[in-house]
Amino acid sequence: MNLSKKIPVVSKEYVFQFIIITILFALWGIANDLTTPMVSTFKKVMPELSNTQASLVQFAFYFGYFFMALPAALFIRKYSYKSGIIVGLILYATGAFLFYPAAHYQSYNFFLLSLWVITCGLAFLETTSNPLILFLGNKETATQRLNLAQAFNPIGAISGLVMAQFLVIKEIKSDDYSTDAFNALSSTELASIRENDLGIISIPYIGLGLFVLLILVIICLTKMPKTAHEDKMSIGDSFKKLLANKNYKHGVIAQAFYVGAQIMCWTFIFQYVDNINMNLGLELTATYYNIGAMLLFLSGRWLGTALMKNTNPSKILMYFGLGGVLCSAGAIVLQGIPGLISLISISVFMSIMFPTIYGIALKDMGDEAKIGSAGLVMAIVGGALMPVLQGSILDWGGSGFSDIQILGFIPEVNFSFILPLICLAVVTHYGYATYKISIKEKNTKKILVTE
């Protein structure tokens, strides 16, 4: 008998809170994918940056998760989920507003600091919101419920990409010049263009900061449920129990590799498209393909959530992981448009990974879930480290994207997607391993019932 058919995904008494918290999932999706195109944008506005230096945008952004996730967990453990959300929104807005002085001083490091502060806020929001969603209903539907809430994250991501394309990429002047023409400009002209473009980059972040303040007011006025009694387990005992839990530890590792794959695929699609344009004489707009990837991601999330009504989440994770590995291979070996199609198709298979790994890793946890949540959010540091590695591959032959050919026919930008392939293989293994465990547990229960 499948109990999840009879049990509602969200408890009736928590529907309104579920909706409010789900808005936060979209809110950090906006920040994530407004920032993703900034790697290539900063490279155009500040051409002195190498590909590795430009990729520090993602390092600064996602390192904030690693730095702040555990303090956030300890904070909400001492106070409340609502308090954690409020602190997260304050940090989010503060980081967004810091873009104004960063643009004024034309400091790349200042921009990186601003992004880091934003993600310190996002670390609070994710450390708080994910376990809170798991709480708003029966534990039998917890993973499905988290997938449902996470399905609204790509809606925010698409909004962020649209903002990046039409408020930033389309408006900056640096993109109007070829490399030779840009280098031929006088120092006065270059300074004027840089001042204009950095100001443009800051505008959507400042607007986002104002929107975050509005959400902050709504959260302050919303009554949140009491999610836990007095914690009975000490912090030290919680850590010991987590470290003894192989399912959890492997889940943290899988999560780090998954986030690394996601950020690499969505960041370096811009360089992938630029390389196609240069080699084939096309004028493809990378953002449109990235939006296409987001739409596929959203569709895959809804599909995966529906499949979980009747299918083991670990099994779905395993098959989606295999699909991602195959598409990554296509992005590496196929040239031109076929390779690009393979690249954006990876998003379908990545769609269910974050919430599914999260739900599986925290399954049947009690008091230690809050600390456990921090570990899974800290795993987002994979999105800080992996893009820098991929950027270094692009620098192998120089500042271009196909300066050298791997095996005689694979441009370095294509070959760089070997990293997402490896990452998704790790996720696939986690799905396979936990599926075997779940089948073993199911068979054990049958035997006990029979006896």
Side-chain angles (χ1 to χ4, degrees):
M1 181 183 296
N2 194 331
L3 296 177
S4 61
K5 288 184 177 180
K6 295 183 179 180
I7 301 171
V9 177
V10 182
S11 296
K12 291 181 180 179
E13 66 267 32
Y14 296 138
V15 170
F16 180 73
Q17 288 83 356
F18 178 83
I19 293 171
I20 296 299
I21 300 304
T22 297
I23 291 174
L24 299 180
F25 284 75
L27 195 59
W28 69 65
I30 294 175
N32 290 341
D33 287 274
L34 173 60
T35 301
T36 294
M38 293 303 120
V39 174
S40 61
T41 302
F42 273 114
K43 184 74 168 63
K44 292 172 182 175
V45 178
M46 299 177 169
E48 69 273 14
L49 298 176
S50 67
N51 289 307
T52 304
Q53 288 174 315
S55 67
L56 290 176
V57 166
Q58 296 293 43
F59 179 83
F61 191 84
Y62 288 96
F63 185 72
Y65 282 105
F66 180 80
F67 179 85
M68 192 57 71
L70 184 56
L74 296 175
F75 180 88
I76 63 175
R77 179 187 174 97
K78 183 175 181 179
Y79 297 101
S80 68
Y81 282 117
K82 183 174 181 177
S83 297
I85 291 172
I86 290 172
V87 171
L89 291 172
I90 291 173
L91 288 170
Y92 190 158
T94 300
F97 290 137
L98 284 175
F99 265 71
Y100 179 78
H104 176 75
Y105 290 108
Q106 299 187 22
S107 170
Y108 183 58
N109 290 334
F110 205 149
F111 279 110
L112 296 180
L113 174 64
S114 303
L115 290 168
W116 181 77
V117 174
I118 288 175
T119 40
C120 284
L122 298 187
F124 263 90
L125 294 181
E126 293 211 36
T127 303
T128 304
S129 300
N130 285 298
L132 183 54
I133 287 292
L134 294 176
F135 172 81
L136 301 178
N138 192 286
K139 67 177 184 178
E140 295 291 337
T141 56
T143 299
Q144 185 184 356
R145 182 165 52 257
L146 186 56
N147 268 277
L148 177 60
Q150 285 273 3
F152 290 87
N153 175 263
I155 295 176
I158 292 170
S159 301
L161 283 173
V162 171
M163 290 168 63
Q165 175 63 28
F166 294 102
L167 298 180
V168 179
I169 298 173
K170 195 174 181 180
E171 298 298 324
I172 61 172
K173 293 182 180 179
S174 301
D175 207 22
D176 296 338
Y177 299 87
S178 65
T179 302
D180 292 336
F182 191 82
N183 292 333
L185 294 173
S186 67
S187 59
T188 301
E189 289 173 319
L190 288 171
S192 177
I193 290 173
R194 177 174 295 203
E195 181 180 4
N196 174 80
D197 289 355
L198 292 178
I200 287 172
I201 289 173
S202 70
I203 289 173
Y205 285 94
I206 294 170
L208 185 57
L210 293 172
F211 181 69
V212 169
L213 289 182
L214 175 62
I215 298 299
L216 174 61
V217 172
I218 295 174
I219 291 293
C220 288
L221 297 175
T222 300
K223 186 177 181 180
M224 291 293 171
K226 300 291 183 180
T227 56
H229 300 293
E230 191 79 18
D231 284 307
K232 297 178 181 179
M233 188 177 294
S234 69
I235 294 175
D237 289 339
S238 292
F239 277 116
K240 287 179 182 178
K241 191 168 182 181
L242 287 170
L243 292 174
N245 188 331
K246 289 184 179 180
N247 180 64
Y248 171 76
K249 288 190 296 184
H250 295 166
V252 171
I253 294 170
Q255 197 74 288
F257 278 96
Y258 158 68
V259 176
Q262 174 190 297
I263 303 308
M264 286 187 287
C265 289
W266 293 351
T267 297
F268 289 96
I269 188 174
F270 291 88
Q271 289 81 349
Y272 199 98
V273 169
D274 284 346
N275 186 58
I276 291 174
N277 288 339
M278 286 187 290
N279 291 335
L280 299 182
L282 301 176
E283 295 184 0
L284 305 177
T285 301
T287 301
Y288 296 153
Y289 286 92
N290 215 349
I291 291 174
M294 291 295 106
L295 291 172
L296 290 173
F297 186 85
L298 177 60
S299 300
R301 181 67 62 77
W302 287 108
L303 174 62
T305 302
L307 290 173
M308 286 181 192
K309 291 181 180 179
N310 301 302
T311 309
N312 186 297
S314 293
K315 187 176 183 180
I316 295 174
L317 181 65
M318 177 180 65
Y319 284 124
F320 272 52
L322 284 172
V325 168
L326 292 174
C327 288
S328 297
I332 295 169
V333 301
L334 299 177
Q335 306 294 312
I337 301 299
L340 180 57
I341 292 173
S342 294
L343 175 53
I344 65 174
S345 296
I346 297 173
S347 293
V348 175
F349 301 104
M350 292 193 298
S351 61
I352 55 92
M353 290 183 178
F354 185 92
T356 303
I357 294 171
Y358 200 103
I360 294 171
L362 292 184
K363 184 180 179 183
D364 296 329
M365 284 195 180
D367 291 334
E368 71 274 17
K370 290 179 181 178
I371 303 297
S373 174
L376 289 161
V377 173
M378 289 174 71
I380 294 176
V381 74
L385 302 177
M386 294 297 182
V388 177
L389 289 177
Q390 190 167 9
S392 66
I393 292 177
L394 293 183
D395 284 333
W396 278 357
S399 61
F401 305 134
S402 57
D403 301 302
I404 58 175
Q405 303 287 316
I406 311 300
L407 301 178
F409 73 99
I410 301 176
E412 57 195 313
V413 66
N414 287 51
F415 181 75
S416 70
F417 284 90
I418 189 72
L419 295 178
L421 185 152
I422 293 170
C423 290
L424 294 174
V426 172
V427 174
T428 302
H429 180 266
Y430 181 67
Y432 171 72
T434 54
Y435 178 59
K436 281 183 22 178
I437 292 172
S438 64
I439 292 299
K440 184 177 180 180
E441 290 176 348
K442 186 177 180 180
N443 291 334
T444 300
K445 288 181 180 179
K446 285 183 178 179
I447 294 172
L448 292 174
V449 170
T450 302
E451 292 177 347

